Amino acid sequence: LWGCAGVFAGNSQRDDPRRLRFWTFWSLALSGNLLLIIATDALSFYLGFSAMSLAAYGLIVHQGGPGPRRAGRLYLQLAICGEMALLTALLLRSHAADGAFAFVAWQALPMDGLTLLLLLIGLGLKAGFWPLHVWLPLAHPAAPAPASAVLSGAMLKAGFLGLWRCLPENDPLLSGWAEVALAVGIFSAIYPALLGLLTAQAKAALAYSSVSQMGYLLMLLALAWRHPQQAQALTVVLMLYGVHHGLAK
């Protein structure tokens, strides 16, 4: 997806006098996105997550003007709040694991409510499901088209990947929170889709569509929490739906 969008960006940004700035932020966001995907420990994941999130601000405000600046300001505020919540949750998780940061070492540890809430807020702000989606309808219309593609198609998945990596596969607390997450996912799948039907701006409709699709991914994640014995099958479905959404965007 990054490659396809990059080829398009090479043509669309060819005559842009600020193309060097665009490609700088693009490369930083791409590097962060790839790092968090291959990370096997929380420190590497957080480094990649932060690099991707902060570099995306440069893509959102690239075109200049009051609209992109307003969208970028809201995005940056929420991104920093999300990273603070994520960092706190990772530190709490590492403390419970006697200082270990490897995701493998966290799988056997029970989850506590505060850490789970912080993870859902920190990673949910990036994933963009309701009600943590407020930056999406502003950021996507403001960003250049190739940036919109990777924002919705690739970067949003980082939130779900983080939840999948940081949370244990079979935990009683996750089973207890599954119904709440499922209800939020159902509402997030339906309500933003209705808002997208009412908007007259194509890229705003794209943003609401992404929020809706993130709701479906949250539903699948909640079902995996509720039925841990089917986690492997639901993982395959989650991956296929994530790839489908990325290519569609």
Side-chain angles (χ1 to χ4, degrees):
L1 179 60
W2 276 96
C4 293
V7 170
F8 178 77
N11 294 322
S12 64
Q13 304 300 125
R14 181 182 303 163
D15 300 324
D16 189 345
R18 297 167 293 186
R19 60 183 177 276
L20 179 60
R21 185 179 70 181
F22 174 87
W23 287 114
T24 300
F25 285 114
W26 179 277
S27 300
L28 288 172
L30 170 59
S31 300
N33 199 180
L34 296 180
L35 175 59
L36 68 88
I37 290 173
I38 64 174
T40 58
D41 63 274
L43 290 177
S44 300
F45 179 87
Y46 183 76
L47 178 61
F49 189 88
S50 299
M52 181 193 71
S53 297
L54 297 178
Y57 168 78
L59 298 176
I60 293 171
V61 302
H62 174 74
Q63 299 186 112
R69 284 198 299 268
R70 176 170 173 254
R73 185 166 57 249
L74 176 63
Y75 169 81
L76 189 60
Q77 291 170 348
L78 293 178
I80 292 176
C81 290
E83 289 183 20
M84 290 171 62
L86 175 60
L87 179 60
T88 305
L90 295 179
L91 290 175
L92 288 173
R93 199 80 177 123
S94 175
H95 176 71
D98 295 327
F101 283 98
F103 290 135
V104 175
W106 292 3
Q107 287 300 312
L109 295 175
M111 178 63 63
D112 63 276
L114 176 60
T115 304
L116 179 56
L117 180 62
L118 289 171
L119 283 173
L120 286 172
I121 293 174
L123 295 170
L125 280 168
K126 177 56 62 183
F129 51 78
W130 181 92
L132 304 174
H133 70 288
V134 291
W135 61 271
L136 266 168
L138 293 177
H140 282 271
S148 293
V150 293
L151 274 169
S152 60
M155 296 190 201
L156 295 185
K157 310 301 188 313
F160 286 99
L161 181 61
L163 289 173
W164 200 263
R165 292 275 179 84
C166 296
L167 299 178
E169 295 180 358
N170 190 358
D171 190 276
L173 182 64
L174 296 181
S175 300
W177 285 46
E179 292 188 5
V180 176
L182 185 60
V184 172
I186 293 173
F187 187 82
S188 183
I190 298 173
Y191 178 63
L194 298 177
L195 294 179
L197 292 174
L198 299 177
T199 184
Q201 197 172 12
K203 290 177 74 177
L206 169 72
Y208 283 119
S209 171
S210 295
V211 177
S212 177
Q213 304 308 306
M214 293 306 101
Y216 283 105
L217 289 176
L218 182 60
M219 290 165 58
L220 290 170
L221 191 64
L223 288 174
W225 294 351
R226 189 174 184 180
H227 305 287
Q229 69 278 8
Q230 300 179 14
Q232 185 174 0
L234 288 168
T235 302
V236 176
V237 178
L238 191 69
M239 291 171 58
L240 290 175
Y241 198 87
V243 171
H244 158 73
H245 172 256
L247 294 177
K249 295 307 162 186

